[in-house]
């Protein structure tokens, strides 16, 4: 009954899981087209193609989505200073909308009624993929085998997968499985599951794949300049090479290479997944870590204080949550992203950085924007400032406080001794 | 007419500025008592005492406020993850309420109708001191010489100060003035003004006083454990010494010493002052940097996701602004601080850290709180989880998105191609 | 096999739906105890008891929860000015946690492993009930028949229910079903579904059950005083009766009676349900509407501005969402509610109101709190105020604006003409 | 020395205060041009012109700013649901930026180096005017006589003003001064000061100028329809006249007339001024009250839930504060207003209203936007909804709650009894 149920576009990785799903979908009566997005991960795409065909795929699509990833997802995240729970730079979250869009576009071209993926039923990625699918194409149908009892009960352990693969003639790489899972793209690599599920286990040194450890990083620092235009990196200059890079993808990959060398961008976190469980994850986000430091620094020089406050409270916080939870193709995402450009109008200038053994050190910054005025800010000269004005400013600011203080003292609940002063 | 105008308690530093103010206030007809708070700064208090008396002070008060500083200001800031504009840990801001409280208490004891300080008219500290004074004692009178034209015009340059000091027999230290200003306490040291006013000037290596540079820090890392109870550090264990520290001040100073050795806690920022000017500041906050990393990490393991979201949006953001702007003794500060304890009820446990050349690396964490459940979170086993439930979860989450997508498609403004998908 | 599957506590209403569920659960092999909470709805509880027993219930529990409802749910909502989407006062949402707590307590006493309810699969109440059940007793098991295909397919229309009822000898009230559904408690009544599902249909006059229409309300107004202590109503005085009421339930019911007479508290709204669909609802919340007006007014007089801002942004908004979505027994609810008491410390005083044909008019308010100072606020005398201080205040507030204006003008993007001034 | 100090553009009202200021400025050596903005207030502009010239003004400018007021200030406020402290619709705040812009434009045309106004030193309007002046023209100079000691001491009481007026031959209207102050424009009228400074004094019936009291309003209601496009009212239909109005100013004035007749839009509030004092104000905002009700209602039908949440938390709250405090021409105002258009993309449709004795009753609404789907939302049919999905949704939402409940129970701090269940 091959293909009788319709046509599926499968997010294919070339690994044991998605190869099994590919073959199982065919068993179940679907035609399957395998889809791979090149979002910068290290991968033998040709080997994957051959394996997909061997598994029975009716087609194989490889799409280079690196530029779309950098320009449409990473740049807005840099502009917004997106970060999840103070630590995680959202590398996996950022890639999902790109891949999902590529898949839906391909599904339409290939005439697929279904899309499928190999995400587990406990993670964030299933949600991110599927919400993106539905946001882009409300009538798409999704097959998530790891949430279908017949599938997950049948393939409960690795041996069941291997046995099935053997029965289907699916080639299995003989490399020993690592005791953790990874997801890689040009922004980052993530590590989770396996031995990392004990949050008190220190990740082994050889887990970290992208970056040199700070201990083994070069003794001499690198110095670079990053130039931003409306909050977007438009050029970088690298001291050691004397080169300038201006293409978006080139900028990002160059920063990645430098950061990897200098041990920058490792984090280890227990985070809160969208489905409400806590999860331990380790991440390497080398270039992104440099960009975050530089962008925040330039905003110090060029962004109005109150614009920054409002932006932080809404764009930064909300966009980060939207990305992490998987709502990129949603009305609220459109709304929040519509607020970014105005917030970045003045974020133009250069940030000079030193990279050294895990540290990203700001060494200076400059801008033609006029929000910082050296003379006026100077502690050493008046520069047009009237010090008496501050007296009035303080007097007025104190009105509420005095009124409150009088009220509290009248009640006897306030006082200047330690006990009463800090008592709330 | 000495003392005819009343009695002033002066925040005295022992330096040229406040010595001049001391003498000038006496000239103006006030009795003056000099007040120094020991908040952990490196200072020759005895020399300052002698100088104050020599300048004509009727009294000199030295108050050890280190414990009050740590327990009543720093601990709540650690619990709240307080930070200003993503970078500044608020070291100066945190010390001001403590010093102001000490001053107001001393002013009451000494029968002073006035308090005075040597802060300039452009900075944050004048505001912080005075709002704290008024909040604690609404009827206190403040003399701020650097905002009084007769004073600031007369003493417009350093030479005028020196000349006056000579005329009054005030001893002046012959050390060459550094080309920047500093403020130091046990939490941090700040550098600003002078050559730092050009935001593109890299601070010279010899500016940094507290910390070894990462480059010169030891080649071998230190490892420590920090134990928190309700978000407050209650004990630390240091690998290299094998010692445990449990006293609040001892914990903080020990972390400081370790962080200084390992080059931890330097930042360089252009920040937005309360009065609306931008200002470049460099800071070393060694121990505080370690504590922030550790506390945030433990919250990952022990704090409910939604409590964290709400806490971040209100306690963290608001308390940081309250501290920076100087509203510690205000109704809103009382309110925000009243929200901290409940938020920290479950923040109990241990964080293990590696300190190495500027890096604070989390190596593991554990807690008896039950918010993280290894079995339930596991990617490798079901552990009580029903994967089908997530299908329903996603289906319901997608309702709004599908509805929006249908509406947008009906209007022809949405689509799956790059142009329409990212168009907002 | 009666009772072989265990014991169920069923939220019973006495209507056709829950009577059918009662009988069906017995058919399915459960023992069933019927539970009714008296939260102030108009109901013949004795008739319901008899019907439950007739349907085969092993027991019937009627619990008077009115005081718990008023004191533990309604008062905090009044203190927090809780409101959903600017219009809905959350009457149904507020009752659910009370009923759920009563049920879980009863389930424990009766040895029930299961709880069940008759909520539909599209509404908010199923979520509110079940999240409350799980929050209070994580291991409770829930049976929601309207989400079980065997049940909802079998009982797809009213005739199937009636036929089943007849077959089981369940008495059916012969009153004609109204073309909408209602939920009633002492706080409010809601109307939804049926003819109301067209949002452009004006509700018929005879739908509104609790309140007189403004058109038919008395020509002469009522005047009352409400006294608050820490934001909680502790006493009311009614002009027309000359009576004072001080008991919590009595206060609320008296306000209800007055508001019903004077046509106060009707709203008609399209709201956003938790599950992501929009829904049209009409509500009558008579007494609650008076309390909201009065409490907000008193906060104007007695609450510090910044405390109010922070409270609004977090407690009001978050508690309203928590209540509406059903997260009352959650960590974030505990956290948010822990912030209420401090915010209400100064909300003490009296508000005088006029009730007239749908209007709640504030006629005056007073308080012993000292936050309002008539002399100091006066426009007609200085009262201790220094007008020059405001000059300094404005000068400092303008610093950022001038800087921005200069920058914009330098770029040529700002100007004083209409086109440029409003151009963003 | 007439005019020797330069040229001043004075915000002139024709009253005793600004006439005195006009003459006094001339005494002080300035040339003065009087400026009046017609923002819809009831005023004899010709009489004012004559008086200004009589007082010695070198010129008199009357500018009709009604359309600018409606289109550039009121419409965005309607789109944003702007409201201050839950009650005040910001009528005065909204007019200030318009008048200030007119003044700065006129000052440039007239070659004035100064602008001046008659606002007192305790109010909001001085701040609103001056911040707008500085935002639009950073180098403008402001003369605020009521903050200049020589002026406010000299003219401390009304008799001093009258005496001066007599000495200058300034005609004084003999109408008895009302015991309160007012500010009027087409949006509203405000009453404050005088007898209103006691917050417990009920405003006398004859104070209210714009609206009929609900008691005296017609017995029969009016019915109208308001049509919105992207959140802006583009047309209204009035039942009683059968007319349709489509011009912005006409729409607003027509709504005003209807609301005045039907007693709509009175409020009485104690509010928090920007300078930190509390103040009692009474306002009539007739048409604006109708528009607010209608716009919020239509958003219920047409705005996505999460877009609404984010918009409320940022645009509504912030824009209201920006307007009230006077920061309309500021970077944060530009930023916040840049977020409005996207939020209103789907706010298209009609709202039907009944106006009756102070009540604005929504009777229905409709829209071509597809966010509300009657079939899908229906409680009476499935309409494509899968009830089982909600089970999964609830199961996943409960994960955090169960985990928290288990943790609390393990500690013995949670329980199902009243005492423990509500204990926080």
């Amino acid at each position: 009954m091959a293909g009788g149920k319709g046509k599926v576009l499968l997010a294919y990785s070339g690994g044991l899981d998605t190869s099994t799903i590919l073959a199982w979908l065919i068993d179940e009566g679907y035609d399957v087209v395998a889809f791979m997005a090149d979002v910068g991960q290290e991968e033998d795409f040709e080997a994957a193609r051959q394996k997909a065909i061997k598994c029975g795929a009716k087609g194989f699509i490889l799409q280079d989505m690196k530029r779309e990833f950098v320009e449409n997802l990473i740049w807005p995240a840099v502009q917004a200073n997106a970060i999840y729970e103070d630590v995680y730079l959202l590398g996996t979250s950022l890639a999902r909308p790109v891949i999902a869009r590529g898949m839906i576009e391909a599904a339409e071209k290939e005439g697929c009624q279904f899309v499928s993926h190999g995400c587990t039923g406990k993670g964030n990625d299933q949600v991110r993929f599927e919400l993106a699918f539905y946001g882009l194409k409300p009538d798409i149908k999704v097959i998530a085998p790891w949430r279908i009892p017949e599938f997950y009960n049948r393939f409960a352990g690795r041996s069941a997968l291997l046995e099935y693969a053997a029965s289907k003639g699916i080639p299995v790489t003989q490399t020993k499985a690592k005791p953790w899972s990874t997801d890689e793209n040009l922004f980052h690599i993530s590590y989770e599951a396996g031995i990392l599920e004990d949050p008190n286990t220190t990740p082994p040194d050889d887990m970290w794949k992208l970056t040199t450890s700070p201990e083994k990083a070069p003794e001499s620092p690198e110095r670079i300049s990053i130039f931003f235009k409306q909050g977007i990196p438009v050029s970088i200059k690298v001291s050691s090479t004397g080169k300038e890079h201006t293409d978006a993808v080139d900028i990002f990959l160059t920063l990645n290479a430098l950061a990897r060398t200098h041990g920058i961008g490792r984090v280890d976190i227990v985070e809160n997944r969208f489905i409400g469980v806590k999860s331990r994850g380790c991440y390497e986000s080398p270039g992104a870590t440099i960009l975050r430091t530089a962008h925040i620094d330039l905003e110090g020089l060029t962004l109005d204080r109150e614009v920054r406050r409002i932006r932080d409270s809404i764009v930064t916080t909300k966009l980060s949550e939207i990305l992490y939870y998987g709502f990129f193709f949603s009305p609220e995402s459109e709304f929040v992203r519509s607020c970014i450009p105005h917030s970045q109008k003045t974020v133009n200038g250069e940030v000079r950085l030193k990279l050294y053994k895990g540290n990203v050190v700001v060494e200076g910054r400059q801008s033609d924007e006029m929000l910082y005025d050296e003379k006026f800010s100077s502690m050493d000269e008046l520069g047009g400032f009237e010090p008496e004005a501050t007296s009035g400013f303080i007097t007025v600011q104190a009105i509420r406080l005095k009124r409150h203080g009088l009220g509290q003292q009248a009640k006897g609940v306030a006082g200047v001794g330690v006990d009463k002063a800090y008592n709330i």
Side-chain angles (χ1 to χ4, degrees), chain A:
Chain A
M1 195 190 74
K5 286 193 183 161
K7 204 166 174 185
V8 181
L9 189 84
L10 171 67
Y12 186 67
S13 73
L16 178 58
D17 276 40
T18 50
S19 297
T20 300
I21 290 171
L22 205 171
W24 179 82
L25 285 169
I26 295 166
D27 279 357
E28 292 288 306
Y30 297 96
D31 280 342
V32 183
V33 176
F35 178 92
M36 287 190 86
D38 177 1
V39 285
Q41 72 274 40
E42 187 185 296
E43 194 74 64
D44 184 341
F45 293 111
E46 178 50 25
R49 191 189 66 77
Q50 288 174 17
K51 196 167 176 180
I53 299 304
K54 182 138 200 169
C55 290
K58 294 275 177 196
F60 176 89
I61 298 168
L62 172 64
Q63 194 162 343
D64 181 350
M65 310 194 83
K66 293 197 288 292
R67 182 163 305 278
E68 179 178 338
F69 185 24
V70 172
E71 293 182 345
N72 288 292
L73 270 295
I74 298 177
W75 281 177
V78 168
Q79 289 179 299
N81 299 332
I83 195 166
Y84 187 69
E85 297 190 340
D86 290 320
V87 181
Y88 172 43
L89 294 183
L90 296 158
T92 299
S93 319
L94 285 163
R96 295 317 186 203
V98 175
I99 300 170
R101 197 205 61 74
M103 286 180 70
I104 291 295
E105 195 175 41
E108 291 201 343
K109 276 185 198 152
E110 299 286 324
C112 300
Q113 304 83 30
F114 301 87
V115 287
S116 183
H117 60 73
C119 305
T120 72
K122 281 183 177 177
N124 290 308
D125 285 329
Q126 55 177 342
V127 188
R128 292 172 188 151
F129 270 126
E130 297 180 27
L131 292 183
F133 294 151
Y134 294 132
L136 286 162
K137 190 174 169 61
D139 62 347
I140 193 74
K141 287 184 173 42
V142 177
I143 302 173
W146 285 116
R147 295 202 310 263
I148 299 174
E150 306 91 83
F151 186 90
Y152 70 70
N153 287 326
R154 175 169 172 190
F155 299 108
R158 188 168 162 82
S159 60
L161 288 164
L162 289 170
E163 197 178 314
Y164 181 78
S167 80
K168 293 283 172 183
I170 303 172
V172 176
T173 321
Q174 291 307 321
T175 55
K176 195 172 167 304
K178 302 231 163 164
W180 50 72
S181 304
T182 64
D183 176 71
E184 187 184 356
N185 59 51
L186 61 80
F187 188 99
H188 94 334
I189 187 168
S190 68
Y191 310 90
E192 59 173 3
I195 61 166
L196 300 174
E197 285 177 354
D198 175 356
N200 206 16
T201 298
T202 308
D205 276 350
D206 67 351
M207 177 191 81
W208 305 101
K209 175 185 166 189
L210 302 185
T211 61
T212 308
S213 74
E215 283 89 338
K216 293 178 186 157
E219 294 301 319
S220 56
E222 175 68 86
R223 283 186 166 82
I224 62 172
S225 275
I226 307 181
F227 299 82
F228 290 87
K229 210 165 171 178
Q230 307 209 0
I232 293 172
V234 291
S235 151
I236 59 170
K237 285 186 188 162
V238 182
S239 278
S240 63
T241 64
K243 280 196 193 157
E244 182 173 357
H245 305 256
T246 57
D247 172 77
V249 177
D250 186 23
I251 287 172
F252 199 84
L253 294 179
T254 303
L255 290 174
N256 258 354
L258 294 168
R260 289 176 180 210
T261 300
H262 290 280
I264 290 161
R266 296 182 176 184
V267 299
D268 177 344
I269 179 182
V270 176
E271 73 201 46
N272 293 292
R273 283 193 209 138
F274 186 28
I275 60 160
V277 299
K278 288 183 175 291
S279 155
R280 197 266 192 94
C282 299
Y283 304 96
E284 291 173 279
S285 310
T289 300
I290 297 176
L291 279 174
R292 175 176 170 81
T293 300
H295 185 263
I296 287 178
D297 185 73
L298 187 60
E299 287 195 339
L301 185 67
T302 60
L303 195 55
D304 173 76
R305 183 184 71 198
E306 297 304 311
V307 174
R308 181 180 181 143
R309 297 276 187 284
I310 301 172
R311 195 277 318 269
D312 282 355
S313 77
I314 200 59
V315 178
T316 304
T317 305
K318 269 293 157 191
L319 186 63
S320 303
E321 198 175 285
I322 283 167
L323 286 164
Y324 188 85
Y325 290 177
F327 287 83
F328 186 80
F329 295 113
S330 71
E332 63 268 32
S333 170
E334 289 181 15
F335 175 48
V336 169
R337 286 181 289 131
S338 82
C339 303
I340 294 178
H342 192 99
S343 78
Q344 298 293 294
K345 266 177 43 178
T346 59
V347 185
N348 304 302
E350 173 194 6
V351 180
R352 297 187 298 105
L353 300 158
K354 179 174 73 173
L355 313 179
Y356 174 71
K357 283 187 177 286
N359 298 277
V360 182
V361 180
V362 178
E363 298 205 312
R365 72 290 279 170
Q366 63 179 343
S367 171
D368 291 338
E369 299 293 322
M370 295 168 63
L371 288 161
Y372 180 87
D373 177 356
E374 200 172 323
K375 287 261 176 296
F376 195 79
S377 291
S378 173
M379 285 305 202
D380 302 326
E381 48 176 316
L382 289 181
F385 192 88
E386 312 154 40
E388 304 93 309
T390 320
S391 297
F393 180 71
I394 296 172
T395 300
V396 171
Q397 295 286 1
I399 289 173
R400 280 190 312 112
L401 279 50
K402 289 180 178 176
R403 185 73 23 213
H404 176 72
L406 289 171
Q408 295 295 95
Q409 287 175 12
K411 291 184 184 177
V413 295
V416 306
V418 173
D419 282 1
K420 286 198 171 170
Y422 299 108
N423 183 35
I424 40 175

